[in-house]
């Protein structure tokens, strides 16, 4: 699959179920084989919640966690101070079995 | 390595650097080959921060992320309602190179 064809869901401050529905629809309506859930900073825990609820409640037995990566970016804030923010990427994949 | 010999650091509400120091000391003072950082619910983002700061700032080039797992537990709260809480486990490993 080309990088440009990857299906991303970015988790932020919208209502929780928006993200779960987003993930579920990619698999069910759009026929995606793989969806990657991304978040930064304070939304990392939420991304894990989205992945768990989507894969265990809504898509149970059809989708599994295929990979998880964490990372971090450093940048300067308005005060000129170095700030580090962590990020996470959780990839869900259609389970052939 | 036996399950009982695993080195765990549970991330919660104590000061952030306590956990980073805990991880770093396991590798440096106690000679651990592997340390697993665990957290639940609201502390998941913090566990990612601890893993990133420990592996990229304090132990750069000597330790790497060897595996990440997410999960969830369901239980009943005091009101008798079903509650689901996500969890994460991040395993850092000594990098032989």
């Amino acid at each position: 699959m080309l990088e440009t064809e990857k299906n991303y869901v970015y988790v932020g401050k919208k209502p929780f179920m928006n993200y779960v529905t987003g993930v579920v629809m990619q698999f069910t309506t759009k026929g995606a084989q793989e969806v990657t859930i991304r978040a930064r900073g304070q939304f990392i825990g939420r991304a894990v919640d989205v992945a768990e609820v989507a894969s265990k409640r809504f898509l149970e037995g059809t989708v599994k966690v295929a990979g998880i990566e964490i990372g971090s970016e450093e940048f300067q804030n308005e005060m000129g101070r170095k700030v580090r923010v962590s990020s996470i990427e959780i990839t869900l994949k259609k389970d052939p079995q």
Side-chain angles (χ1 to χ4, degrees), chain A residues 31-52:
Chain A
Q33 292 299 308
E34 211 175 292
V35 175
T36 299
I37 301 160
R38 281 179 154 175
R40 298 205 312 172
Q42 60 173 305
F43 299 114
I44 287 174
R46 254 188 145 201
V48 174
D49 291 339
V50 169
E52 284 293 307

Side-chain angles (χ1 to χ4, degrees), chain A residues 17-89:
Chain A
M17 285 307 293
N18 285 25
Y19 303 111
V20 175
T21 311
V23 172
V24 173
M25 296 259 296
Q26 297 267 9
F27 282 112
T28 54
T29 313
K30 300 203 181 164
Q33 292 299 308
E34 211 175 292
V35 175
T36 299
I37 301 160
R38 281 179 154 175
R40 298 205 312 172
Q42 60 173 305
F43 299 114
I44 287 174
R46 254 188 145 201
V48 174
D49 291 339
V50 169
E52 284 293 307
V53 171
S55 66
K56 299 224 176 115
R57 198 183 308 162
F58 289 91
L59 301 164
E60 207 189 341
T62 66
V63 156
K64 61 173 183 182
V65 175
I68 308 173
E69 279 178 48
I70 59 173
S72 52
E73 294 165 42
E74 275 204 353
F75 57 91
Q76 290 205 324
N77 67 5
E78 307 108 54
M79 321 279 282
R81 247 190 96 197
K82 253 198 197 169
V83 180
R84 209 192 48 74
V85 176
S86 299
S87 58
I88 196 165
E89 276 200 22

